[in-house]
Amino acid sequence: MDRITSAKNPLVQQLRALRRGAAGDLMAVEGRVMILEALSCGLAPRYALLEEELPQRELAEALARAGARVYWAPRALLESVCATKTPQGSCCAFDMVPPRSPAGPRIVALDGVQDPGNVGAIWRTADAAGFGGILLGAGCAGPENPKVIRASMGSCFRLPYEKVPDLGARLEDLKASGMAVAVSALDGEDVYQRAPLGDAFVLVIGSEAHGASLDVKARATHRLRLPMRGGAESLNAAVAAGILMYELTR
Amino acid sequence: MDRITSAKNPLVQQLRALRRGAAGDLMAVEGRVMILEALSCGLAPRYALLEEELPQRELAEALARAGARVYWAPRALLESVCATKTPQGSCCAFDMVPPRSPAGPRIVALDGVQDPGNVGAIWRTADAAGFGGILLGAGCAGPENPKVIRASMGSCFRLPYEKVPDLGARLEDLKASGMAVAVSALDGEDVYQRAPLGDAFVLVIGSEAHGASLDVKARATHRLRLPMRGGAESLNAAVAAGILMYELTR
């Protein structure tokens, strides 16, 4: 297999652009565990850089079998293309995981959740809690961001997602189809005292700083709040989403 | 007020050391919101660097009133001392928040949770859910880490914590005092089918990679697992902790 040593190599430069979520039809997957997960989900690898000092023959062969061009590279070059601080030893460009419509009856929707760690963790929790998919409203981090991929632990390869530029309009459609629209809101009703939701619902999580937008709140059939019993005024968005997802599917 | 421009200034060098959690009796607090929170919790500020291009007269005066030496500094110097990537515009060395014994009846304990973002988010959730404190076992990130402070949104200034080198022994003592010891474990019983816990308990969250240690698991009166209904095999540690803390205090 070939070796790449120059930071000016076009593949290296493209991986750097992918790290910033720059290219539309490719995504960068970092680290052995995530790369193997992507392969097992049937995603198509294009090319990979593997750190040459590490014993990665097996990973290289798995990638080559799946059709990827595989290159060995020095550690410094790997570090320069990876978004995660912890050295991963490998970085692979895959075809972007294609959007698919979430399959009900339970969907989670994000309204301006920007932090990639939060988006990935919510994606992972939705997958664990048995949700049918995730809607990403305007301004949300997406699967083109390697930190989303990493925080999702591969759930973004499996659980359907869709980017929804006008989340309010989509919520209206879902409501018309018979789903409840539950919006997490600090001024909502206590989730443990909630009016019955039914089995089909979309749970909306608002942005870290401002919560759900006014347009989205206006579509809500339920506004839900977690009780704050101590000194904290709010929760981390991914933690709040996780508590609500498990509570509503209890 | 004075101005600092040299990266070799001893205060700048000490702040850099604090960023790595290096000094035992001081901690670095970054950003206006967290600094004001620390002041309102009665913590003692020693000295602060404020970015000179920003309108921060009010923050400077609040710090000076509380006894801090306040210095203006150029943005590049601020960025070099801050642990967070997002520019915060201010960094202040406070006396370390002193450990205090958690006050029952509900305590959360961390067994090797290394990620500062997770430790901080769990601290924040414990504060919101009405827990009496947090025990930090060996290997956990602590309040000397600016990323813990930030992720806790100031809850680490309020909610009592204690560092516990031998967590297993402490759990044994708590059990002897009549508390249940609930350990989060992938091989535990479904939390929604759990045996009654009682009102007094310590909830133990294990490390991100390996879960709770064998020694800690051996002290458990309850081992609890969240159901995994989809493709994900596990949850982010802070999300799992949040779901369990709210479920057990429902």
Side-chain angles (χ1 to χ4, degrees):
Chain A
M1 273 172 262
D2 290 336
R3 192 162 174 261
I4 293 180
T5 57
S6 164
K8 292 184 179 160
N9 180 290
L11 295 182
V12 170
Q13 298 201 326
Q14 188 174 46
L15 281 176
R16 281 214 194 112
L18 293 182
R19 180 180 60 178
R20 300 189 303 269
D25 52 351
L26 290 178
M27 62 178 179
V29 179
E30 301 177 0
R32 179 179 168 276
V33 174
M34 284 301 100
I35 289 173
L36 291 177
E37 188 68 35
L39 290 177
S40 81
C41 289
L43 296 174
R46 294 293 158 197
Y47 58 90
L49 253 60
L50 303 188
E51 187 178 327
E52 59 195 358
E53 287 92 14
L54 297 177
Q56 308 198 81
R57 176 67 49 184
E58 204 185 343
L59 179 60
E61 287 172 359
L63 281 164
R65 270 197 307 276
R69 286 169 288 156
V70 180
Y71 303 90
W72 299 101
R75 167 181 281 228
L77 206 61
L78 252 305
E79 285 176 352
S80 80
V81 301
C82 283
T84 36
K85 272 189 186 173
T86 327
Q88 298 294 337
S90 50
C91 184
C92 181
F94 279 82
D95 283 350
M96 177 65 71
V97 50
R100 284 179 291 154
S101 282
R106 290 181 292 273
I107 296 171
V108 64
L110 305 188
D111 184 20
V113 179
Q114 297 184 303
D115 182 85
N118 282 340
V119 172
I122 293 171
W123 211 318
R124 181 180 179 186
T125 312
D127 192 16
F131 278 58
I134 185 167
L135 298 176
L136 303 173
C140 290
E144 66 283 353
N145 186 323
K147 291 182 184 173
V148 170
I149 296 173
R150 182 132 207 100
S152 87
M153 287 294 280
S155 286
C156 67
F157 304 145
R158 284 186 296 266
L159 191 73
Y161 78 97
E162 203 176 338
K163 294 196 175 187
V164 182
D166 186 345
L167 185 57
R170 173 64 68 91
L171 293 175
E172 208 58 50
D173 292 346
L174 291 170
K175 205 160 62 175
S177 79
M179 293 177 89
V181 175
V183 177
S184 170
L186 291 176
D187 60 354
E189 62 174 339
D190 185 328
V191 65
Y192 300 113
Q193 313 287 334
R194 67 187 177 274
L197 263 177
D199 288 331
F201 62 84
V202 50
L203 170 66
V204 188
I205 305 297
S207 85
E208 295 88 345
H210 310 292
S213 61
L214 288 177
D215 179 50
V216 159
K217 275 190 180 178
R219 322 285 181 156
T221 59
H222 298 65
R223 294 185 190 198
L224 303 177
R225 164 183 68 80
L226 285 162
M228 298 288 132
R229 305 190 194 101
E233 288 171 11
S234 66
L235 292 172
N236 167 279
V239 172
I243 298 168
L244 290 171
M245 281 191 270
Y246 267 85
E247 172 62 24
L248 297 183
T249 53
R250 208 164 173 273
Chain B
M1 273 172 262
D2 289 336
R3 192 162 173 261
I4 292 181
T5 56
S6 165
K8 291 183 179 162
N9 181 290
L11 296 182
V12 170
Q13 298 201 326
Q14 188 174 45
L15 282 175
R16 280 213 193 115
L18 293 181
R19 180 180 60 175
R20 302 187 303 268
D25 52 350
L26 290 178
M27 62 178 181
V29 179
E30 302 178 358
R32 179 177 169 277
V33 173
M34 285 300 100
I35 289 173
L36 291 177
E37 187 67 36
L39 290 175
S40 80
C41 289
L43 296 174
R46 293 295 157 195
Y47 58 90
L49 253 60
L50 304 188
E51 186 178 328
E52 58 195 359
E53 286 93 14
L54 296 178
Q56 307 199 81
R57 176 68 49 186
E58 203 186 343
L59 179 61
E61 287 172 359
L63 281 164
R65 271 197 307 276
R69 286 169 289 155
V70 180
Y71 303 91
W72 299 101
R75 166 180 282 227
L77 205 63
L78 251 305
E79 283 177 353
S80 80
V81 301
C82 283
T84 36
K85 273 188 184 172
T86 326
Q88 297 295 336
S90 50
C91 185
C92 181
F94 279 82
D95 282 350
M96 177 64 70
V97 49
R100 285 179 290 156
S101 283
R106 289 181 294 274
I107 296 171
V108 64
L110 306 188
D111 184 19
V113 179
Q114 297 184 304
D115 182 86
N118 281 341
V119 172
I122 292 171
W123 211 318
R124 181 180 179 185
T125 312
D127 191 15
F131 278 57
I134 185 166
L135 299 176
L136 303 174
C140 290
E144 66 283 354
N145 186 324
K147 291 182 184 174
V148 171
I149 297 174
R150 181 132 208 99
S152 86
M153 286 295 280
S155 286
C156 69
F157 304 145
R158 284 187 296 266
L159 191 74
Y161 79 97
E162 203 177 336
K163 294 194 175 188
V164 182
D166 187 344
L167 184 58
R170 173 63 69 90
L171 293 174
E172 208 58 50
D173 292 346
L174 291 170
K175 205 159 63 176
S177 79
M179 292 177 89
V181 175
V183 178
S184 169
L186 291 176
D187 61 353
E189 61 174 341
D190 185 329
V191 66
Y192 300 112
Q193 313 287 334
R194 67 187 176 275
L197 263 177
D199 288 331
F201 61 85
V202 51
L203 170 65
V204 188
I205 305 297
S207 84
E208 294 89 345
H210 309 293
S213 61
L214 288 176
D215 180 50
V216 160
K217 274 190 180 177
R219 323 286 181 156
T221 59
H222 298 66
R223 295 184 190 197
L224 303 178
R225 164 183 66 80
L226 285 162
M228 298 288 133
R229 305 189 194 102
E233 287 171 12
S234 65
L235 292 172
N236 167 279
V239 172
I243 298 169
L244 290 170
M245 281 190 271
Y246 267 85
E247 172 61 25
L248 296 183
T249 53
R250 207 164 174 274

